[in-house]
Amino acid sequence: MALSTYVDANYRFIAAYQEVNARIAQRQQALILYTTLVVSLLAALVALQSTPRIQEIPVEWLALGFPVASICLACLNFKTERAITHLRHFLSALEQLQDAHKSLPSYNTDARWAEGANHARRFQDWAAAVLVTGGNGLGLGAIFSIYHTRVAEHWIIPWITVGLTVGSVIALLAIPRWGYKSRVRNP
């Protein structure tokens, strides 16, 4: 009895789509991680307010935690977008085996479907950018209102925080440039 020594294209397709779904879930988990970090930093700022020796604690350095979390979110989203793009190119190649894309709907090969998916995922990037802007705004607001004396002494740190935040937001909004684009025009 001869056994097949290769994996059928259908199984490869299913496996690749499972990987795409895992990457999409990772994008959601990155948002949850970011939110957790921001809430933790805000909690630390509020908790440190009741410390008796507050003037000795360099709380202004916590301000940098907000853009660091934002930069990590942007990097994780970029990594995930590149992985999804790579997998969708693979899926498109499988859809084109024996010119199947000419007779069957092909989600990754037909530009109409592929671009629609990209536009839908764009909302994830907008949500991440809004979350970063709001999270960093809340962090800076808390630091300015609770620790205004410390911030006045170390004014450069809020400006660094603002600069890194703006860079993170720009990076998050630029991620779709590296997203998947069908190489085949409507067959």
Side-chain angles (χ1 to χ4, degrees):
M1 175 159 73
L3 293 175
S4 177
T5 58
Y6 67 93
V7 177
D8 181 274
N10 287 332
Y11 292 113
R12 293 172 193 223
F13 194 85
I14 291 167
Y17 251 109
Q18 288 175 340
E19 187 66 24
V20 167
N21 288 332
R23 300 301 176 174
I24 291 168
Q26 284 179 342
R27 282 184 71 145
Q28 293 302 109
Q29 291 169 349
L31 283 175
I32 293 167
L33 175 64
Y34 173 77
T35 304
T36 302
L37 289 172
V38 167
V39 169
S40 298
L41 286 167
L42 286 170
L45 287 172
V46 172
L48 286 173
Q49 179 182 9
S50 61
T51 304
R53 296 179 356 184
I54 190 62
Q55 295 305 322
E56 299 171 24
I57 300 172
V59 292
E60 65 278 357
W61 288 99
L62 282 175
L64 295 175
F66 293 95
V68 166
S70 303
I71 290 167
C72 290
L73 176 63
C75 290
L76 290 172
N77 278 0
F78 177 77
K79 175 200 72 112
T80 303
E81 186 65 30
R82 293 304 301 150
I84 291 171
T85 297
H86 180 70
L87 288 162
R88 289 188 69 196
H89 280 297
F90 177 74
L91 290 164
S92 177
L94 289 175
E95 289 173 352
Q96 294 174 59
L97 288 176
Q98 299 175 346
D99 289 329
H101 67 292
K102 293 180 180 176
S103 60
L104 294 171
S106 300
Y107 187 76
N108 295 289
T109 302
D110 189 335
R112 293 173 297 187
W113 296 102
E115 290 170 8
N118 289 345
H119 283 66
R121 247 192 356 270
R122 184 86 169 125
F123 286 102
Q124 173 90 18
D125 300 318
W126 282 100
V130 168
L131 195 58
V132 163
T133 303
N136 282 276
L138 284 171
L140 281 174
I143 286 174
F144 278 113
S145 67
I146 298 171
Y147 306 104
H148 48 65
T149 307
R150 297 282 308 187
V151 172
E153 294 171 9
H154 306 282
W155 57 269
I156 192 75
I157 291 176
W159 284 109
I160 292 171
T161 301
V162 168
L164 292 173
T165 300
V166 169
S168 298
V169 169
I170 290 169
L172 285 165
L173 295 176
I175 286 173
R177 291 177 157 230
W178 295 282
Y180 176 76
K181 291 169 190 65
S182 177
R183 295 178 182 157
V184 176
R185 285 295 156 196
N186 303 332

